[in-house]
Amino acid sequence: MRTSNFLIATQKETPADAEVISHQLMLRAGLIRKLASGLYTWLPLGLRVLRKVENVVREEMDASGAQEVSMPVVQPAELWKESGRWEQYGPELLRIHDRHDREFCLGPTHEEVITDLMRNEIKSYKQLPINMYQIQTKVRDEIRPRFGIMRSREFLMKDGYSFHVNQASLEQTYQVMHQTYSNIFSRLDLDFRPVLADTGSIGGSASHEFHVLANSGEDDIAFSDSSDYAANVEMAEAVAPTATRPAASAELAEVATPGVKTIDDLAAFLSISPDTSVKTLVVNGEEEGQLVALILRGDHQLNTIKAEKLEGIASPLVMADEEIVRKACGAGFGSLGPVGLTMNVVVDRSAAVLADFSCGANKDGFHFTGANWERDCPLPRVEDLRDVVEGDPSPDGQGTLQIKRGIEVGHIFQLGTKYSEAMKAQVLDETGRNVTMTMGCYGIGVSRVVASAIEQNHDDKGIIWPTAMAPFQLAIVPLNMHKSEEVAACAEALYTALKEQGIDVLMDDRNERPGVKFADMELIGIPHRIVIGDRALKEGNVEYKGRRDEDSQLVPQDDVIEFLNQHLAG
Amino acid sequence: MRTSNFLIATQKETPADAEVISHQLMLRAGLIRKLASGLYTWLPLGLRVLRKVENVVREEMDASGAQEVSMPVVQPAELWKESGRWEQYGPELLRIHDRHDREFCLGPTHEEVITDLMRNEIKSYKQLPINMYQIQTKVRDEIRPRFGIMRSREFLMKDGYSFHVNQASLEQTYQVMHQTYSNIFSRLDLDFRPVLADTGSIGGSASHEFHVLANSGEDDIAFSDSSDYAANVEMAEAVAPTATRPAASAELAEVATPGVKTIDDLAAFLSISPDTSVKTLVVNGEEEGQLVALILRGDHQLNTIKAEKLEGIASPLVMADEEIVRKACGAGFGSLGPVGLTMNVVVDRSAAVLADFSCGANKDGFHFTGANWERDCPLPRVEDLRDVVEGDPSPDGQGTLQIKRGIEVGHIFQLGTKYSEAMKAQVLDETGRNVTMTMGCYGIGVSRVVASAIEQNHDDKGIIWPTAMAPFQLAIVPLNMHKSEEVAACAEALYTALKEQGIDVLMDDRNERPGVKFADMELIGIPHRIVIGDRALKEGNVEYKGRRDEDSQLVPQDDVIEFLNQHLAG
């Protein structure tokens, strides 16, 4: 491709409303343009990247045995009413009326459509398992679209759905998809982690998210420094401390703590470390009017997902109202503690091994120091209640946990029978009985992968594309080619030769200053660059520079193709 | 691909609501399934065909120098208000509201979006011409979706838009697109015609439609039997008869014609041929209250597009109200004629060379016979007013016209400045002045191409795919492979060998009766078939049959790959 016939729409200025680096660079490099809030046009350069990602996804999905289909974007409301999602889904679901005033929606996902298709087409267990996917424009009416294509209202998604006669078959396909996703992100050369994820309100039995690690990620990922273990922080188990609780050595003492409301206040007031105190949170119990106190070490954070899964606790988790707490405990928030508490209490594993700890005295403006389990109050039920922190032991027993930010680019999910039951998607099993099909679903945010790759791979000059998704592998930058016949001839010969080898070459034949061309090719992030200029050419050389290299190197003109073949292959 | 891992969803019954053969066969062969009125899911088999068409379109568009982009499906109303189409477009435009109650539409085309993009990105004539295209799902809320994907509410379209500094540049790109479209439909092996088309209400100076010829087509295409000339019947010129008008030989006579209302009535009543009579239609003139009479030979049809383009006639054409006509002429419809008429009159070229013709007497229930121009009434203004008919001379002077039905699959259009003027899309020209860009637009109904190919290529057994869009090139049908090791071994070896050569092979490894497999492979329309059975194999043979062949032929097992290489290449 020549820049004279290819829209290079680079911009010098960083757009004011672009908060994250990928959004800034996608605009500056001319990959996308905003049409309206959360709606973007992919320019030719950006689309080349998107298509490369799409093709890797398609190739690996096909290799896994999945079959590609294409379902409509516009979906009839009837199916969503059948599944129950018409009521459950919030305003992200863009609902529309056709000219006959019938209700439709623009599909954010396609569970209903594929389940409807399968209940009509699949009659027997012999046709199972089957795994269908599509790569399609999805619409989700985000309340606040942002970060460019990272959280846009229209995006390209690979969504896949598998159908099974039983759970064992689902688990098999789930493993294949886990491997397929790993293959995809490995081929794209991304630093990623498949992490255990919460199955949330969709239900289902197992779920993994695939995260590209990058500082700008919205999720915290905990992973072992010495094994494959990785989980969303909300899912990672905080394993029980191996140390036993020391014996009590201090006296229980009530201390007036005027104005102390938080653990930080308390630590400062008493000149203690927060990890020698406990905090007490009160939540609604499972039954109406019931309260449960949750006790954590002062420096730890409550993990609401873990808490709401526990017996006796309302799900979703609801923090109790302060007035109700005051009636039950005799004090408001900031002065609560386990000593003398009469309601149900659950204590986190780490808080349960503390001795001589500080805590609220259930009396406004007072705390205890030197409190001890069993001596001053019973040791309550012990559970894992907290978010893991860096340095915690890895739940798989290997190494310690690190925490990094991640961008979710994929999600695989054992759905079970949520949709197939509601929509009566059944087949005959081996014994001739009707059984409800078991389902899995598998998504990749194809356009999001592009943004996440930039978040992970850039420097102050611009994007640094991983090879598999670079819009072009190599840029040829001839200097003053409109004046120098030698430069033009050398550039044209090289361009032709590389194109014949099937290499994606961008020939920058614009009549621009060298500095402009260099800056553009670096901003765009093309992995390899050959500069052809009169001076080096007189000595029989051209200049090569890899996108991550500090300096360029001279390569004899006669060896350049062999040189490039070696470098581009690596 | 193996049928054991690929959804073969053939059906024996012809679906009741499928009117045209392509719709019937696409359902029966399991290419598509209906989700809701005008909304279809493409099953794996159908999607393979669609992708092949899409790829041919993309390759040829890229080869033409056009650049691929991807614009949002959801478009903001503001742009459509700027172009004026928000008001002009009917209810086919699916208008929606987002969660903030802002107006959007689902794009049936993208003139506004691309013009907005170009006015922001293109500043100078040096960046022109530029030709951008996308291959995208479009939504058009048809009042009566029908014929399956031929007239559906969601469809895959290639839409392209070019921008130019002047008309000459537009014409150059228009020619390139004309050639590119011809290349595309030629590669797809379709019998098609590029035909001159009406530029309609969009305005613009030139337009060609690309039609696939098929009996079920909705358009009548007139084309020369001895040249490249082809035009939509509504556009084809009815050239002036070369014969001059004979001298009058009959007397003008008034005849009572009670109950005669139509030309057919008149011909029967007088025992004459309709082509010796004229009919008179009255339409509104350009000015309010003005009427114009249009005179055609009795057997000819008025061409409204030709008529409304004439000076003095209202556009769009409006037939005058009968009461108003009665006041002006003294008679109602069915008794009108040129003799004694006082309004403006235009006569068709063919009617102008008649002598001794019959016509209404402008007196209810009476006609004249033996009427003659100049003797009985002045010869009015002569124009081309009628549709061409088979046997008319070709307007290019070569041969005579034939008329066949066509399915419109492509449309290229010199748009001019309709959008760029309304949306102020300007660039600096060579002299540094701001000029409005000139535009072309170019569409291909990608999904429609699939249906049109079936309309043109099928028999009573099913589809007969042109090679370039066949879902598979070859079917291997092993008989009783689950019982015969020899058959299985031969089939597997052939399958592997052909796959290695990069041939799209479908191995029918289902445990079905031979008759079922044969019928399915023929219905699906795979161009080549190899049957492997015990009996022939004992003699060292397999059976080959081309989809259009009457009989199969034996091919020695050892020669089969060479045999297939020859047949598949041809």
Side-chain angles (χ1 to χ4, degrees), chain B residues 296-325:
Chain B
L296 291 117
R297 214 169 73 183
D299 58 328
H300 285 154
Q301 298 301 322
L302 174 67
N303 181 307
T304 56
I305 290 169
K306 290 177 180 176
E308 70 192 12
K309 280 188 183 154
L310 293 179
E311 210 178 322
I313 294 180
S315 173
L317 198 75
V318 180
M319 302 308 290
D321 191 81
E322 182 154 15
E323 280 318 295
I324 292 171
V325 170

Side-chain angles (χ1 to χ4, degrees), chain B residues 87-149:
Chain B
E87 307 300 330
Q88 289 157 18
Y89 221 101
E92 287 79 29
L93 184 66
L94 222 170
R95 292 153 219 252
I96 61 178
H97 290 85
D98 75 357
R99 63 194 291 160
H100 305 296
D101 211 31
R102 283 190 288 253
E103 288 178 311
F104 291 85
C105 63
L106 300 186
T109 63
H110 278 69
E111 282 84 357
E112 285 82 0
V113 177
I114 194 81
T115 304
D116 178 58
L117 182 72
M118 289 298 119
R119 70 179 167 184
N120 292 326
E121 300 299 327
I122 304 293
K123 302 297 173 196
S124 157
Y125 74 97
K126 289 183 195 165
Q127 294 169 278
L128 297 180
I130 195 164
N131 191 3
M132 296 286 196
Y133 78 97
Q134 61 178 353
I135 299 177
Q136 192 200 39
T137 299
K138 302 283 183 194
V139 179
R140 198 170 291 170
D141 197 1
E142 293 283 350
I143 188 162
R144 195 161 88 84
R146 56 194 164 140
F147 306 151
I149 55 153

Side-chain angles (χ1 to χ4, degrees), chain A residues 5 7 33 42 44 47 51 67-68 70 73-74 91 96 98-100 104 121 141 143 153-154, chain B residues 5 7 33 42 44 47 51 67-68 70 73-74 91-92 96 98-100 104 121 141 143 153-154:
Chain A
N5 191 32
L7 183 64
R33 284 294 179 265
W42 289 78
L47 192 63
R51 289 262 184 268
Q67 303 180 46
E68 189 176 0
S70 175
V73 176
V74 176
I96 62 178
D98 75 357
R99 62 194 291 160
H100 305 297
F104 291 85
E121 300 300 326
D141 198 0
I143 187 163
R153 300 205 277 183
E154 241 185 84
Chain B
N5 190 32
L7 184 65
R33 284 295 180 262
W42 289 79
L47 191 63
R51 289 262 183 267
Q67 303 180 46
E68 190 176 0
S70 176
V73 176
V74 176
E92 287 79 29
I96 61 178
D98 75 357
R99 63 194 291 160
H100 305 296
F104 291 85
E121 300 299 327
D141 197 1
I143 188 162
R153 299 205 277 183
E154 241 186 83

Side-chain angles (χ1 to χ4, degrees), chain B residues 120-283:
Chain B
N120 292 326
E121 300 299 327
I122 304 293
K123 302 297 173 196
S124 157
Y125 74 97
K126 289 183 195 165
Q127 294 169 278
L128 297 180
I130 195 164
N131 191 3
M132 296 286 196
Y133 78 97
Q134 61 178 353
I135 299 177
Q136 192 200 39
T137 299
K138 302 283 183 194
V139 179
R140 198 170 291 170
D141 197 1
E142 293 283 350
I143 188 162
R144 195 161 88 84
R146 56 194 164 140
F147 306 151
I149 55 153
M150 195 94 92
R151 190 169 291 276
S152 55
R153 299 205 277 183
E154 241 186 83
F155 50 97
L156 191 65
M157 185 165 165
K158 189 285 293 177
D159 51 325
Y161 310 89
S162 68
F163 291 79
H164 309 270
V165 73
N166 55 35
Q167 174 70 17
S169 167
L170 167 61
E171 282 170 19
Q172 217 163 38
T173 296
Y174 186 84
Q175 277 317 313
V176 171
M177 281 298 101
H178 193 289
Q179 185 58 52
T180 299
Y181 276 38
S182 298
N183 296 348
I184 288 168
F185 299 119
S186 298
R187 266 184 69 180
L188 294 173
D189 221 3
L190 295 170
D191 184 10
F192 72 97
R193 295 282 188 290
V195 306
L196 274 168
D198 179 43
T199 51
S201 58
I202 312 184
S205 45
S207 171
H208 282 84
E209 291 169 359
F210 286 74
H211 282 263
V212 169
L213 300 183
N215 293 333
S216 58
E218 294 185 276
D219 290 279
D220 281 320
I221 309 304
F223 58 96
S224 166
D225 60 4
S226 14
S227 77
D228 276 348
Y229 178 85
N232 205 307
V233 158
E234 60 189 20
M235 276 293 289
E237 184 189 356
V239 297
T242 47
T244 51
R245 191 171 78 243
S249 65
E251 292 295 306
L252 185 70
E254 193 180 274
V255 185
T257 50
V260 167
K261 286 284 169 199
T262 67
I263 290 292
D264 285 344
D265 294 347
L266 184 68
F269 189 88
L270 298 177
S271 300
I272 56 167
S273 168
D275 61 5
T276 64
S277 68
V278 305
K279 56 184 167 193
T280 303
L281 306 163
V282 183
V283 300

Side-chain angles (χ1 to χ4, degrees), chain A residues 221-223 386-393 400-404:
Chain A
I221 309 304
F223 57 96
R386 68 171 175 95
D387 285 342
V388 292
V389 294
E390 279 214 323
D392 275 344
T400 57
L401 290 181
Q402 294 193 297
I403 295 181
K404 284 201 178 172

Side-chain angles (χ1 to χ4, degrees), chain A residues 70 88 105 178 209 238 296 359 473 517 559:
Chain A
S70 175
Q88 289 158 17
C105 63
H178 192 289
E209 291 169 358
L296 291 118
C359 59
Q473 293 307 307
K517 292 184 174 190
D559 304 344

